[in-house]
Amino acid sequence: MSSAADPAHGTRARLAVLAVFAVNAIYFPELFPPANGPNELSRYEAVVAFVDHGTFAIDSTLKKYGDHEDKSVYGGRTYSNKAPGLIFAAIPVYRLLRSFAPQPKDSWSPVFVLLRILTVTLASAVALARLSRCLSREPFRDASGLVTLAVSLGSPFLFYGRSFFSHAWTAALLFLAWDALVSA
């Protein structure tokens, strides 16, 4: 039996790809000083404003974490102009993290890295693992490792899976919902 037809070989290859994705997404995030991208920062500020100040207005967090262009002013208050889905999903995670972590001092606080890992990266990794498992069945079995590699490391999925953007998070949730419907 050739190694390509060996199911254990395919499983090891898929697990290796998933491990490389996870290490890449955790160890090499898009967090390079001197400033976070406005897309991520706007979302972080909205989450902190809601949990720590009870409002979605980011006036106080703008002063603390930095100004950016991804905001809108309404009624004299400033708000994140990002779609709210990821912000809403991150609120309970941030609240949990704040039960043992201090309030972030700056936009590079480890709590923001953990927040991203526990929301975007986790959903992305679970969806990638599920995709890999789905592809391990016929007629895709022989190409499952290669397709998983292409999606995880050869597409924008890696960048978005390691950033606090809603792109990979939304794609992951949509795929997982579709997979749940098809599997039911």
Side-chain angles (χ1 to χ4, degrees):
M1 179 187 287
S2 74
S3 63
D6 179 12
H9 175 74
T11 300
R12 285 191 307 271
R14 288 192 326 275
L15 290 175
V17 169
L18 294 173
V20 169
F21 173 82
V23 167
N24 222 314
I26 292 168
Y27 193 70
F28 298 108
E30 290 297 315
L31 296 174
F32 297 106
N36 286 13
N39 200 320
E40 290 176 299
L41 187 56
S42 184
R43 287 184 172 93
Y44 288 138
E45 288 174 344
V47 171
V48 171
F50 184 80
V51 172
D52 293 341
H53 305 289
T55 179
F56 281 111
I58 61 172
D59 301 293
S60 62
T61 56
L62 277 171
K63 293 174 189 164
K64 186 170 189 173
Y65 303 120
D67 199 4
H68 49 80
E69 64 270 12
D70 282 1
K71 63 185 187 262
S72 296
V73 177
Y74 178 78
R77 307 285 311 265
T78 307
Y79 299 90
S80 170
N81 65 5
K82 300 286 124 196
L86 180 57
I87 294 167
F88 288 141
I91 286 171
V93 177
Y94 178 74
R95 191 166 289 195
L96 175 69
L97 291 171
R98 286 281 286 123
S99 68
F100 60 85
Q103 187 178 42
K105 292 183 173 148
D106 57 36
S107 63
W108 300 104
S109 173
V111 75
F112 291 140
V113 176
L114 286 172
L115 181 61
R116 191 245 326 140
I117 289 169
L118 293 174
T119 53
V120 177
T121 303
L122 181 61
S124 299
V126 169
L128 192 58
R130 188 63 194 148
L131 172 67
S132 179
R133 186 172 172 96
C134 289
L135 291 170
S136 70
R137 296 187 290 257
E138 289 296 336
F140 307 106
R141 179 179 298 146
D142 292 339
S144 65
L146 185 60
V147 172
T148 303
L149 178 69
V151 170
S152 65
L153 303 177
S155 76
F157 193 74
L158 176 61
F159 172 78
Y160 290 118
R162 67 181 188 200
S163 303
F164 198 61
F165 297 166
S166 60
H167 303 71
W169 177 77
T170 302
L173 294 180
L174 286 171
F175 173 75
L176 291 169
W178 172 83
D179 184 56
L181 286 172
V182 169
S183 298

